[in-house]
Amino acid sequence: MGQSASLKVRMLVSSSLYVSGDLVALQLQTLDSEGKPAREGSLINLYLVDHSGSTVAIERFNSAKQDADQAFLLPEELSTGNYKLVAQIQGSRFQTEALIHVYSPTIFSSTALPENANPELGAHVIQASEAGENILWKVDEGSFSISSETLDFGLLAVKVFDPLLEGYPVLGHVKESELNEETKVSFKLKPPYNDPNSRISVFFLDQGLVEEYNMRDSASMEEELLKHQGSSSVWAYQFDNLGEPLGEVTVNLSDWKKKQFSSFDNTVPFDDAVVNILDHKRKRKYIDQIYRTDFDNYEPFLQKSDHVAPDQVYFSKDYEGIATLREAFSGIVSKASVKRTKDGYELILSPANAGFRYEKSPLILFNGSPIFQFGDLIETPMHQIYSISVYNSFQSQKRFGILGRFGVVSIEMKPEFDDPLVAEKEGYPFYLGINDLVQINSEEIDPSTPDLRPVLLWDAGEAINFENSQSLEWEGSDVKGNHVIWVDLLKKDGTSLQWSQPLPQQSTQK
């Protein structure tokens, strides 16, 4: 505890302005008591706190994995207001805060100003200045390079953006921690059977992540699971040593949302510059609804996602005369069959490249909710279904571990119909394009689709060695504006250098 008590977190947030449901790209780095980057990473709790000091959501990050993507997904239903991202290492005397402004999408359809919006206030701007130390920064319209003969380590963050359409990055500040240690974080699993040779599969709903453990490793299992626990639900299932299902595992989590912080002002900036940025976000969301593109995919979190493509996808719009899901699996879905049982209907799959049938029912993801039996849902009208995806090849199934031993079926309903399992999700948020287990997007992007990115590059975790120069490249968008490049360099001694300049005049691209 003595060592962790002195650790601090350095936080860099990609912007100060967001609409609820946005992805917040981050850089989180553990620092020692002297403010220098720690050699070993730490598990960092990142709290989203509203103006009353209440915790709205939480995620966990491992600061040692700088090559991994760090991003926080804002809840969809946030009201317009100021929020703080508070980063803290369990047991540390310090916390790091970054203030962000979040706006509800309802402002796009309202003629009235939000009650807590001040048209006299503008967005936060970092006044970067050119760094010395014999560092050479070089930039042209599509690339950036850095080199030095005097420094031996640095952690680089680079953002290329149009400040008329996007906010500046935010540097968090360190303060004394407001959290006490009275309520420890806990993660308890209660399997139905105490078989030491059995296995437990844990499904983290918000991250689309499956972890598997042997019961004989239960002493370390709960500690390991804490590394992945976020703000949403967890679902677990127990299997015997032959892979036969034994039953659902009860999961008890301590309520992290009871963490309380100090209150702060809730007046959001709303001058002409902020309104212009928010209006551009509205246009980008509208374009996305039309073309089904990832206009914000500059975040590495989306670019590097380990998306598992289904083996077959069936879109309901392509099939007429199919009344229910039962008829679809009986008639149009390859390698699937439905048989009548005394309890209703049972779905069975066959492997993609074999003729035999699996012994048991597949894992079913119904709008992202995991189930093994359809029950009455097998009679769901086909006109309410958007698509049916089947995972039954070795390559696609291995992503699901033992949960997908008998195949996986993902059902996506059309958004205008109510999800019948919504009450069982316990507030689990589904975001298309984030949860790779249920993401379905087999359509090719139309090359004529408008590219309205105001951010051309955000790269926040580049550990660099100055023996050789480091270069980053980006592509332009259809938006022709006054883009700037903003660079932050965290040095080995813990000091940070910032540098910024406008991009050279952009040539016509695309």
Side-chain angles (χ1 to χ4, degrees):
M1 177 66 71
Q3 184 178 5
S4 64
S6 62
L7 292 177
K8 305 174 184 178
V9 179
R10 181 181 187 273
M11 176 164 51
L12 180 62
V13 185
S14 61
S15 176
S16 62
L17 299 174
Y18 296 96
V19 173
S20 58
D22 279 352
L23 193 69
V24 180
L26 305 158
Q27 181 194 92
L28 298 171
Q29 175 68 34
T30 304
L31 306 178
D32 62 20
S33 58
E34 298 179 355
K36 300 178 181 178
R39 292 184 178 181
E40 297 183 0
S42 299
L43 293 177
I44 299 173
N45 293 336
L46 186 61
Y47 303 88
L48 179 67
V49 181
D50 66 16
H51 72 282
S52 68
S54 301
T55 301
V56 177
I58 182 174
E59 289 293 347
R60 291 170 65 81
F61 299 87
N62 189 338
S63 64
K65 297 181 179 180
Q66 282 301 325
D67 58 337
D69 305 314
Q70 295 180 331
F72 190 100
L73 197 59
L74 296 175
E76 288 278 5
E77 303 300 326
L78 291 182
S79 58
T80 298
N82 289 328
Y83 294 83
K84 282 185 179 179
L85 289 168
V86 181
Q88 196 227 14
I89 297 169
Q90 187 77 10
S92 173
R93 300 193 307 268
F94 305 98
Q95 67 185 44
T96 305
E97 297 182 350
L99 182 69
I100 61 174
H101 314 294
V102 182
Y103 300 81
S104 168
T106 57
I107 66 171
F108 299 145
S109 58
S110 174
T111 57
L113 223 62
E115 293 182 358
N116 56 331
N118 186 344
E120 301 299 323
L121 291 179
H124 169 79
V125 176
I126 291 183
Q127 299 296 333
S129 57
E130 185 170 352
E133 310 243 0
N134 296 318
I135 298 176
L136 177 63
W137 319 79
K138 184 179 179 181
V139 62
D140 59 31
E141 66 179 29
S143 67
F144 162 78
S145 62
I146 176 175
S147 61
S148 173
E149 297 179 354
T150 59
L151 298 178
D152 58 357
F153 170 82
L155 192 63
L156 191 67
V158 179
K159 183 173 183 178
V160 180
F161 65 105
D162 185 343
L164 297 178
L165 303 176
E166 174 65 23
Y168 273 78
V170 180
L171 285 169
H173 68 277
V174 179
K175 57 176 287 187
E176 289 292 325
S177 174
E178 299 175 5
L179 295 177
N180 58 51
E181 294 300 312
E182 294 178 0
T183 54
K184 298 286 186 180
V185 175
S186 64
F187 192 128
K188 300 296 181 183
L189 300 178
K190 294 183 179 180
Y193 299 96
N194 293 321
D195 180 358
N197 295 317
S198 64
R199 303 172 68 186
I200 292 181
S201 287
V202 183
F203 186 13
F204 293 85
L205 293 170
D206 57 347
Q207 301 167 64
L209 177 70
V210 177
E211 287 286 335
E212 292 189 343
Y213 297 92
N214 293 318
M215 272 290 288
R216 59 178 175 267
D217 300 327
S218 59
S220 60
M221 176 172 59
E222 292 170 358
E223 180 180 350
E224 289 297 314
L225 290 172
L226 277 172
K227 297 180 180 180
H228 302 295
Q229 168 58 15
S231 59
S232 191
S233 305
V234 175
W235 184 77
Y237 212 85
Q238 186 180 18
F239 299 84
D240 65 17
N241 61 341
L242 297 178
E244 294 295 323
L246 297 177
E248 189 170 344
V249 177
T250 302
V251 182
N252 293 324
L253 299 174
S254 58
D255 189 358
W256 293 1
K257 292 188 177 181
K258 291 183 179 179
K259 299 290 187 181
Q260 186 69 29
F261 298 82
S262 60
S263 60
F264 51 90
D265 178 65
N266 196 37
T267 304
V268 296
F270 211 71
D271 67 0
D272 291 343
V274 171
V275 171
N276 187 66
I277 292 174
L278 295 177
D279 184 59
H280 187 74
K281 285 181 176 288
R282 177 186 64 82
K283 293 175 182 177
R284 287 156 56 202
K285 287 182 182 295
Y286 176 70
I287 292 293
D288 182 56
Q289 290 171 358
I290 296 177
Y291 293 98
R292 295 176 59 82
T293 61
D294 291 326
F295 52 77
D296 269 337
N297 68 354
Y298 66 87
E299 292 102 339
F301 184 81
L302 291 181
Q303 291 178 337
K304 302 175 184 177
S305 63
D306 296 326
H307 174 59
V308 179
D311 297 297
Q312 301 96 29
V313 181
Y314 302 86
F315 295 95
S316 61
K317 62 181 177 62
D318 296 331
Y319 300 92
E320 297 181 359
I322 301 297
T324 65
L325 274 177
R326 176 172 56 82
E327 292 185 16
F329 284 113
S330 299
I332 65 173
V333 178
S334 175
K335 300 290 186 176
S337 62
V338 177
K339 67 177 183 179
R340 186 74 179 263
T341 67
K342 64 178 182 179
D343 298 323
Y345 293 93
E346 183 180 11
L347 175 65
I348 298 294
L349 294 182
S350 298
N353 299 313
F356 69 89
R357 295 180 178 179
Y358 290 118
E359 301 173 4
K360 303 290 183 180
S361 297
L363 169 67
I364 301 166
L365 297 173
F366 199 96
N367 265 4
S369 294
I371 55 178
F372 275 108
Q373 296 292 338
F374 268 115
D376 294 339
L377 293 176
I378 195 71
E379 299 295 348
T380 302
M382 196 61 179
H383 73 271
Q384 297 183 11
I385 302 300
Y386 173 69
S387 65
I388 301 171
S389 296
V390 179
Y391 302 77
N392 62 337
S393 69
F394 174 76
Q395 292 298 323
S396 67
Q397 284 176 262
K398 68 179 182 180
R399 174 62 180 82
F400 300 87
I402 199 170
L403 286 172
R405 182 186 181 200
F406 304 117
V408 180
V409 172
S410 178
I411 312 295
E412 183 182 357
M413 295 184 67
K414 294 177 180 177
E416 61 264 31
F417 295 100
D418 294 334
D419 183 352
L421 299 180
V422 66
E424 301 179 14
K425 291 187 177 181
E426 300 177 356
Y428 158 52
F430 170 70
Y431 302 95
L432 183 63
I434 304 301
N435 188 334
D436 64 324
L437 290 178
V438 294
Q439 178 185 6
I440 301 171
N441 187 0
S442 60
E443 301 177 6
E444 296 183 0
I445 296 178
D446 185 343
S448 65
T449 299
D451 180 356
L452 301 183
R453 292 173 300 140
V455 179
L456 306 184
L457 176 70
W458 164 259
D459 192 332
E462 196 74 34
I464 54 178
N465 185 313
F466 290 95
E467 294 178 356
N468 300 306
S469 62
Q470 181 71 27
S471 298
L472 298 172
E473 297 181 352
W474 58 85
E475 294 182 359
S477 74
D478 292 338
V479 175
K480 301 305 174 187
N482 300 314
H483 288 81
V484 301
I485 180 171
W486 185 88
V487 180
D488 177 270
L489 176 65
L490 175 63
K491 299 194 300 179
K492 189 175 183 179
D493 61 5
T495 59
S496 180
L497 303 175
Q498 287 85 40
W499 172 82
S500 183
Q501 77 170 45
L503 292 188
Q505 186 66 36
Q506 295 174 322
S507 61
T508 302
Q509 302 184 45
K510 289 197 174 186

